[in-house]
Amino acid sequence: MRVLVTGGAGFLGSYLCEALLAEGHSVIVADNFLTGRAANLAHLSHESRLELRWLDIIKPFDPGAVDYVFHFASPASPVDYMVHGVETLEVGSLGTFNCLEVARRYGARFFLASTSECYGDPLEHPQKETYWGHVNPIGPRSVYDEAKRFTEAATVAYRRYHNVDTRIVRIFNTYGPRLQLNDGRVVSNFMKQALRGEDLTVYGDGHQTRSFCYVSDEIDGFIRLSKSNEHLPVNIGNPNEFTILECAQLVLKVTGSKSKIRYEPLPQDDPKQRQPDITKARQLLGWEPKVGLETGLRLSLDYFQKAVAEEVAAS
Ligand code: NAD
Ligand code: UDP
């Protein structure tokens, strides 16, 4: 197939490109490098089936005939989307329409990277796909949450009104090598701080929870869902839930760091708990995450050590 990946120079997009190439497809990446990096795809530069295009998808674009559109473009870390609030709304709204139009024009299948953030600060726990969510529409996270909820509505509408063949994945916190060192996400912050011997900044009392999925498991889920016939949203995430304090302690263990924990204020509307119910993915896709948090952090250690060393060398 000839496949379009928007946001392909980002963290998840770059792994997705690898997986699609490994499946024998040709891949066109459309990315404006707002939060992505060409370095994420540098190891694939020899690959003639990979084409990298600098493209801001909020403007209409035509990649030529494609068989599948994977729409991953959007800032994803809270720090990134709060700095780039308007761009996040634009890529979720205008960008999503443009991608859906590409799929419609060429009769391509369409795969949307949505998020657990659609559930907001959830009142149902763990979160099933049937839960409608609890989102503050005017809070600081709304630029992302509402943009992503809109992407789902637009995707469902193109299916309903224009017969576009769609898939929607709700992605839960994913980590691994190539997470940007300074994107402010909890795993990148803690790994960076631990390796530099700085305090680990735990926001609030650290009892809020997240469920962390290692990137290889997450991508396996995407590929399975992309081949399935399921068009309603599917949660893909690791159901093992950790408090942020437990996550900090694991990072200290894996890095062997003597860093201390420093408590800082909890950001507004920070979800108190998050854990996917993955019954649907298990039954429908036979998908099950394999990599636990400690193992995944160990698998990421080498990358973070190099990233910290490069930053020191550049300063
Ligand atoms: P990322 O920031 O590393 O990647 C996003 C990519 O989109 C970047 O390469 C960026 O330059 C590109 N982009 C942004 N705006 C664009 C535009 N207007 N035109 C073209 N390209 C643009 O983030 P990520 O973690 O790889 O997330 C990828 C997708 O997965 C996002 O849609 C995000 O909402 C979703 N997601 C990620 C997670 C996670 O834990 N990583 C969780 C839930 C959902
Ligand atoms: N967090 C933290 N310290 C940090 C970064 C994040 O305690 O240095 C917390 C944050 O408040 C949230 C959780 O870790 O409760 C996950 O944050 P992240 O930004 O990774 O993603 P989110 O799941 O909130 O989108």
Side-chain angles (χ1 to χ4, degrees):
M1 292 193 293
R2 192 163 184 267
V3 175
L4 172 70
V5 180
T6 74
F11 165 57
L12 289 178
S14 64
Y15 285 98
L16 177 64
C17 290
E18 261 174 42
L20 292 167
L21 289 167
E23 298 252 315
H25 307 306
S26 296
V27 178
I28 305 160
V29 168
D31 203 299
N32 69 351
F33 300 100
L34 180 67
T35 56
R37 294 176 300 162
N40 286 339
L41 294 170
H43 61 295
L44 299 174
S45 57
H46 63 281
E47 184 51 81
S48 58
R49 287 174 298 129
L50 179 72
E51 188 189 329
L52 181 53
R53 293 191 190 173
W54 190 101
L55 215 88
D56 190 334
I57 63 157
I58 71 165
K59 300 193 189 83
F61 65 100
D62 184 355
V66 288
D67 305 291
Y68 218 132
V69 176
F70 288 81
H71 179 32
F72 276 65
S74 170
S77 99
V79 168
D80 284 343
Y81 64 68
M82 287 190 214
V83 170
H84 302 293
V86 172
E87 291 90 337
T88 303
L89 284 162
E90 284 176 337
V91 74
S93 54
L94 304 172
T96 300
F97 271 128
N98 291 331
C99 293
L100 282 161
E101 274 302 317
V102 168
R104 179 188 183 191
R105 185 178 318 138
Y106 293 111
R109 277 177 279 168
F110 182 86
F111 185 103
L112 174 68
S114 184
T115 169
S116 55
E117 205 68 28
C118 288
Y119 302 124
D121 189 3
L123 303 179
E124 175 179 306
H125 193 72
Q127 294 81 51
K128 287 196 198 72
E129 290 86 347
T130 45
Y131 178 49
W132 288 357
H134 179 232
V135 170
N136 175 356
I138 54 167
R141 296 174 85 100
S142 64
V143 289
Y144 183 68
D145 297 13
E146 297 295 14
K148 285 294 182 175
R149 287 163 68 96
F150 180 86
T151 62
E152 291 200 6
T155 300
V156 168
Y158 265 64
R159 179 176 187 91
R160 192 170 287 141
Y161 298 109
H162 297 314
N163 293 317
V164 175
D165 189 5
T166 57
R167 315 280 180 277
I168 300 175
V169 62
R170 290 196 183 136
I171 305 169
F172 284 65
N173 298 64
T174 305
Y175 69 99
R178 290 186 217 149
L179 263 184
Q180 277 189 72
L181 195 60
N182 295 311
D183 72 4
R185 291 188 246 206
V186 68
V187 170
S188 18
N189 267 9
F190 285 176
M191 291 296 270
K192 177 179 67 180
Q193 292 160 343
L195 291 169
R196 285 180 177 166
E198 297 168 355
D199 292 348
L200 270 56
T201 52
V202 168
Y203 303 157
D205 61 10
H207 289 119
Q208 72 271 34
T209 67
R210 294 294 185 272
S211 306
F212 299 98
C213 192
Y214 189 66
V215 64
S216 56
D217 283 334
E218 193 69 37
I219 300 292
D220 177 36
F222 298 167
I223 296 294
R224 285 174 191 245
L225 178 59
S226 72
K227 292 176 180 171
S228 81
N229 288 320
E230 179 61 23
H231 61 91
L232 293 172
V234 179
N235 290 338
I236 297 285
N238 191 316
N240 290 331
E241 188 181 7
F242 292 84
T243 67
I244 293 306
L245 261 182
E246 287 169 334
C247 174
Q249 275 142 12
L250 270 183
V251 167
L252 292 177
K253 180 176 172 194
V254 165
T255 54
S257 169
K258 299 272 176 290
S259 289
K260 303 272 178 293
I261 284 170
R262 187 173 82 233
Y263 292 91
E264 293 197 349
L266 189 67
Q268 188 191 329
D269 296 339
D270 197 285
K272 282 180 271 312
Q273 51 185 4
R274 191 181 285 156
Q275 182 192 33
D277 181 318
I278 60 163
T279 309
K280 189 170 176 184
R282 280 190 179 117
Q283 289 175 351
L284 209 75
L285 313 174
W287 178 79
E288 186 81 40
K290 299 185 182 73
V291 183
L293 183 54
E294 184 171 338
T295 307
L297 290 173
R298 288 192 194 285
L299 291 170
S300 312
L301 183 58
D302 184 54
Y303 162 78
F304 279 107
Q305 281 169 331
K306 285 189 179 132
V308 166
E310 275 167 25
E311 202 173 67
V312 170
S315 66

